[in-house]
Amino acid sequence: MASHTIFDLNDGNKLPRLGFGLWQVPDEQAPDVVHQAIRTGYRLIDTAAGYGNEEGVGEGISAAGVARTDLFVTTKLASQDHGYDEALKAFDKSLGRLGLAYVDLYLIHWPRPWENRYVETWRAFQRIKQEGRARSIGVSNFTQAHIQRLIDETGVVPAVNQIELHPRFQQKDMRQFHDQLGMVTQSWSPLGRGHLQDNETITELASKYGKSWAQIVIRWHLDNNLSVIPKSITLERIRQNFDVFDFQLALEDVARINKLQSDKGRIGAHPDDIRS
Ligand SMILES: NC(=O)c1ccc[n+]([C@@H]2O[C@H](COP(=O)([O-])OP(=O)(O)OC[C@H]3O[C@@H](n4cnc5c(N)ncnc54)[C@H](OP(=O)(O)O)[C@@H]3O)[C@@H](O)[C@H]2O)c1
């Protein structure tokens, strides 16, 4: 992997900047989609126990025939599996479904603060990392307060926080907080789940650069030093979304997109509220 396509994580490991998301990809479709993504050049594959497609993802990885050491596989702990013993058991099941000896990154999917168990879950994650079965560990949908508590009580800083992030919901405070801790910010729903395709600024920039609206948005993430994991089940889009390393946005165009931030931009749930 070329240096402009990877991040150095705070634990010494490396993370591809652009990856492939698999939320809402059915298990039976996952083998083909993952195979296509890997053939296209994606090396970071993002799934979760909660997506119900870890088996299909594992099949796709195996069928692609790329060396395991060249791939970066992320999965996440399902919300109902918080707790020390529960997390260890859930991790074993995820590895079994994926058919892998290790994952590159294991994330706590949601903090569920009302259960008050995410710190003990984090201790289980540290054990999994010490055993080498997850090379890196991190969190998803954690607020600053949640992350600070993990650090205060265990001394271990997550490598990554995967959060909702796109031009209409830019999470500037969280990004700054992560930067101070040496954590990578990874953007979920980076394309705003397709909602940005009719935005005037994005459309204008697409015609200026001769790129699609999605390529402009993915480039905005990369030019903001974010890791980004767009999802598509459409081969032409899978390819298009990876074809973003031959251009960069000018600073003034990044600034134009930065202005799209909106108080109503959040698409998903607030981490303190979600009950799923
Ligand atoms: N940690 C979390 O809580 C969390 C939450 C949400 C998502 N995620 C992760 O982030 C990944 C991405 O987020 P997401 O799936 O919510 O949304 P997204 O990547 O922002 O958008 C996906 C949607 O955009 C469409 N699309 C993709 N590329 C396109 C292109 N080039 N042109 C036009 N349309 C395009 C896709 O359609 P088709 O598929 O029909 O082509 C799909 O409807 C997920 O798959 C998952 O891995 C994590």
Side-chain angles (χ1 to χ4, degrees):
M1 278 180 272
S3 62
H4 68 286
T5 64
I6 54 170
F7 279 115
D8 290 316
L9 296 175
N10 60 13
D11 59 8
N13 292 326
K14 294 190 183 305
L15 168 79
R17 287 159 58 105
L18 174 58
F20 186 73
L22 279 129
W23 182 43
Q24 293 183 320
V25 177
D27 199 33
E28 55 279 12
Q29 204 174 0
D32 184 48
V33 167
V34 167
H35 190 181
Q36 295 295 355
I38 294 173
R39 280 178 58 130
T40 298
Y42 294 84
R43 292 295 176 263
L44 159 56
I45 302 294
D46 183 87
T47 185
Y51 298 170
N53 58 20
E54 287 176 314
E55 274 183 37
V57 168
E59 273 178 48
I61 288 171
S62 160
V66 168
R68 175 68 186 89
T69 46
D70 289 338
L71 293 174
F72 190 105
V73 181
T74 301
T75 194
K76 314 184 191 87
L77 178 85
S79 291
Q80 70 273 14
D81 291 324
H82 270 282
Y84 190 87
D85 292 334
E86 292 88 338
L88 293 178
K89 279 189 204 136
F91 179 74
D92 286 344
K93 286 187 188 161
S94 276
L95 267 194
R97 284 190 293 263
L98 285 162
L100 297 175
Y102 69 93
V103 294
D104 296 276
L105 179 62
Y106 195 37
L107 300 176
I108 303 181
H109 204 149
W110 291 92
R112 295 170 74 84
W114 60 92
E115 289 182 349
N116 196 23
R117 300 193 83 186
Y118 62 81
V119 177
E120 51 170 312
T121 300
W122 189 235
R123 292 191 201 281
F125 272 50
Q126 286 158 45
R127 176 166 159 187
I128 291 166
K129 178 168 163 51
Q130 277 156 9
E131 292 169 348
R133 298 190 305 142
R135 298 281 153 93
S136 295
I137 52 175
V139 294
S140 175
N141 301 300
F142 272 48
T143 65
Q144 294 186 24
H146 304 143
I147 291 171
Q148 196 57 56
R149 187 164 167 218
L150 291 185
I151 297 169
D152 290 346
E153 296 194 27
T154 73
V156 178
V157 181
V160 171
N161 191 11
Q162 187 184 110
I163 53 175
E164 178 180 347
L165 205 162
H166 43 79
R168 285 175 47 76
F169 190 64
Q170 297 183 17
Q171 302 255 35
K172 288 202 175 134
D173 289 349
M174 284 304 297
R175 283 154 59 185
Q176 212 172 18
F177 181 74
H178 296 154
D179 287 348
Q180 284 161 4
L181 291 168
M183 292 174 61
V184 168
T185 308
Q186 192 167 58
S187 309
W188 64 250
S189 293
L191 301 173
R193 293 189 197 150
H195 294 166
L196 288 159
Q197 62 185 317
D198 298 322
N199 180 276
E200 203 179 319
T201 303
I202 304 286
T203 312
E204 268 176 40
L205 292 176
S207 85
K208 172 175 169 181
Y209 286 89
K211 299 287 178 181
S212 74
W213 71 270
Q215 288 171 314
I216 296 293
V217 174
I218 292 167
R219 200 58 243 180
W220 173 84
H221 288 272
L222 296 174
D223 291 339
N224 272 295
N225 220 24
L226 301 163
S227 175
V228 54
I229 47 169
K231 168 260 177 188
S232 177
I233 52 166
T234 315
L235 182 55
E236 192 268 332
R237 292 172 174 177
I238 292 172
R239 289 181 175 154
Q240 187 192 104
N241 295 349
F242 195 75
D243 184 17
V244 290
F245 291 106
D246 62 346
F247 78 112
Q248 255 187 303
L249 297 175
L251 282 179
E252 69 262 26
D253 293 330
V254 172
R256 282 186 71 189
I257 299 178
N258 288 349
K259 288 191 190 135
L260 299 181
Q261 163 67 27
S262 158
D263 291 344
K264 295 181 181 160
R266 189 193 285 276
I267 301 171
H270 189 287
D272 280 335
D273 298 334
I274 186 163
R275 301 282 152 168
S276 69

